[in-house]
Amino acid sequence: MRIKRTNLVVFLILLVWSAVLYVTISFKPIYHSDVSSSYNVDRQILKLEHGISEQFEKNKNIIKNAHKLLEIKKAGDVSKEKTLPKELQEVKLPILVFACNRITVSRCLDKLLKYRPDPDQFPIIVSQDCDHEETRDTILKYGSQLSLIQQPDQSDIQVPPKEKKFKGYFKIARHYGWALNQMFFNFNFSTVIIVEDDLEIAPDFFEYFLGTYPVLIKDPSLWCISAWNDNGKESLVNTERPDLLYRTDFFPGLGWMLSKSLWMELYTKWPRAYWDDWIRDPAQRKGRSCIRPEISRTRTFGKAGVSNGLFFEKHLKFIKLNEEFVPFTKMNLSYLLKVS
Ligand SMILES: *[C@@H]1O[C@H](CO)[C@@H](O)[C@H](O)[C@H]1NC(C)=O
Ligand SMILES: *[C@@H]1O[C@H](CO)[C@@H](O)[C@H](O)[C@H]1NC(C)=O
């Protein structure tokens, strides 16, 4: 009886033990939880990936919209604030266009008239050399939108025999000297923007020169504002930053602004030829700089004339013309001033 009872107790103990073992082993959560957790991790990663790419798309859109908004805001600012900063309202910046015997000057004039914000502030004076009738007629068709002056001295120029083929450069220098004298001494302008008949301008050409005008006037270490980046090919410029401006020691020309004070220095010794090489000479430059944009505000559409056509084909025609309007007159450009 006693043994039987002991057996029973042992049996019961064993039974309970087995039961405990069975329960612990078969319901041990590790196996089950392993599967579910790795399954969960996979799902989480997928979800995360999905979320990240969704967020990425969203961010891309946010950035795109921000850019758009900025553009619209800029344009809005410009159209809303028609009134210029006070110190710029009275500034007169005449455009002096050099023409000779190319009727394609109309391409230049069309763009000037298209983008000119105010005819009173930016009078256009076309100076014609060469007595070319067709070109004169082309210019006169614009009527009162612009003025025409004509270089009166059509006499032959004495050129050293070796330079016979460069006679064109002598004529150009004579024309420049005469026309700039007209602008500063006859019309009494205090600043002039020079454009040649083979240039077309960017939409913010006038805004650029008006915005940089105070910088030119304030800083005696500057002697010109140029619309041209000599290395401004599309692949070489930052196309996202049409607002970028720099100081340069090189005289870029091709759409540039000078003040009367500079002309007072230059006119007495103005050269007979090759004026643009001459003006780059240290004797003229005197260590001064020009302002130039990252993206050009002028582009040459080529000339079949004095200048080298090959240079146009290989270089000039690839210079990018800016397309986006930058409100320079509303920007703080004091960073361009030389800190002395
Ligand atoms: C020319 O303009 C200056 C200001 O730039 C002025 O002081 C001067 O009186 C003007 N001269 C004539 C003849 O209009
Ligand atoms: C323009 O920027 C300069 C710093 O480059 C600053 O000292 C000056 O106060 C700014 N002017 C205005 C009107 O904000």
Side-chain angles (χ1 to χ4, degrees):
M1 197 65 193
R2 204 169 187 121
I3 293 164
K4 256 190 174 171
R5 223 194 204 160
T6 318
N7 279 350
L8 190 67
V9 169
V10 169
F11 174 75
L12 277 176
I13 288 172
L14 276 174
L15 193 70
V16 169
W17 177 240
S18 312
V20 167
L21 266 182
Y22 176 75
V23 167
T24 13
I25 287 167
S26 54
F27 292 96
K28 209 177 163 204
I30 298 166
Y31 180 65
H32 174 77
S33 129
D34 244 353
V35 168
S36 102
S37 86
S38 104
Y39 171 72
N40 272 339
V41 166
D42 278 349
R43 264 179 51 144
Q44 289 297 331
I45 287 174
L46 267 176
K47 253 166 109 175
L48 215 64
E49 270 176 4
H50 191 66
I52 286 171
S53 72
E54 231 175 33
Q55 197 58 44
F56 188 71
E57 276 311 308
K58 267 189 206 159
N59 287 350
K60 247 171 53 180
N61 277 333
I62 288 170
I63 290 168
K64 224 165 103 183
N65 289 340
H67 274 298
K68 264 267 145 30
L69 278 175
L70 201 66
E71 265 172 48
I72 292 164
K73 189 185 166 306
K74 272 186 194 167
D77 283 346
V78 170
S79 59
K80 250 187 295 173
E81 297 174 39
K82 272 275 192 272
T83 54
L84 287 165
K86 226 186 179 125
E87 73 273 17
L88 294 179
Q89 284 174 14
E90 298 302 316
V91 175
K92 230 186 194 17
L93 296 182
I95 319 299
L96 172 60
V97 181
F98 283 97
C100 173
N101 56 5
R102 281 188 289 259
I103 58 165
T104 47
V105 65
S106 62
R107 192 164 159 186
C108 165
L109 296 176
D110 286 344
K111 283 283 164 65
L112 282 169
L113 291 169
K114 177 177 178 188
Y115 295 128
R116 178 169 65 167
D118 179 355
D120 292 327
Q121 185 159 38
F122 303 100
I124 296 171
I125 292 103
V126 185
S127 180
Q128 195 206 353
D129 198 2
C130 315
D131 265 350
H132 189 248
E133 206 175 314
E134 258 185 291
T135 304
R136 183 172 53 243
D137 291 345
T138 302
I139 298 161
L140 285 173
K141 282 205 187 95
Y142 289 88
S144 61
Q145 297 179 94
L146 47 78
S147 314
L148 172 66
I149 56 176
Q150 289 180 273
Q151 201 281 105
D153 182 4
Q154 294 299 315
S155 65
D156 198 28
I157 302 181
Q158 293 309 310
V159 176
K162 270 203 294 197
E163 295 174 67
K164 270 271 185 291
K165 60 177 175 182
F166 301 122
K167 195 179 246 183
Y169 291 101
F170 287 77
K171 288 188 171 164
I172 288 171
R174 177 171 71 182
H175 187 193
Y176 261 76
W178 176 81
L180 284 167
N181 280 334
Q182 289 296 307
M183 296 297 276
F184 288 116
F185 301 132
N186 190 13
F187 304 129
N188 200 28
F189 290 121
S190 62
T191 316
V192 171
I193 299 170
I194 292 172
V195 168
E196 289 187 29
D197 60 354
D198 64 329
L199 291 180
E200 60 186 348
I201 62 160
D204 57 355
F205 174 89
F206 294 95
E207 178 77 7
Y208 170 66
F209 280 108
L210 190 55
T212 51
Y213 167 81
V215 181
L216 177 68
I217 298 307
K218 271 182 217 150
D219 188 342
S221 69
L222 289 175
W223 68 329
C224 97
I225 308 287
S226 172
W228 180 256
N229 175 3
D230 211 43
N231 292 305
K233 294 184 187 177
E234 178 130 28
S235 56
L236 299 178
V237 295
N238 183 349
T239 52
E240 310 282 299
R241 295 293 308 275
D243 59 307
L244 282 182
L245 307 180
Y246 301 96
R247 296 173 68 101
T248 171
D249 291 339
F250 183 72
F251 173 83
L254 294 181
W256 59 289
M257 176 163 75
L258 80 163
S259 67
K260 186 170 184 171
S261 61
L262 178 63
W263 188 243
M264 293 305 285
E265 275 179 45
L266 300 180
Y267 85 98
T268 51
K269 52 174 180 174
W270 191 249
R272 292 185 68 227
Y274 323 112
W275 72 266
D276 49 342
D277 288 334
W278 171 85
I279 207 169
R280 292 185 179 111
D281 208 81
Q284 275 64 251
R285 189 167 83 81
K286 294 192 174 141
R288 291 171 290 190
S289 308
C290 293
I291 301 296
R292 59 109 179 147
E294 169 79 358
I295 307 177
S296 291
R297 262 61 181 186
T298 52
R299 176 172 59 196
T300 168
F301 49 82
K303 47 173 129 191
V306 197
S307 209
N308 192 340
L310 194 68
F311 190 61
F312 173 77
E313 283 304 320
K314 292 189 97 162
H315 179 67
L316 296 178
K317 78 171 181 187
F318 298 108
I319 300 289
K320 180 181 166 57
L321 181 70
N322 180 57
E323 285 156 23
E324 196 186 322
F325 189 98
V326 177
F328 287 112
T329 61
K330 317 228 161 36
M331 291 164 66
N332 183 353
L333 300 181
S334 63
Y335 68 92
L336 292 167
L337 297 166
K338 188 165 188 168
V339 194
S340 48

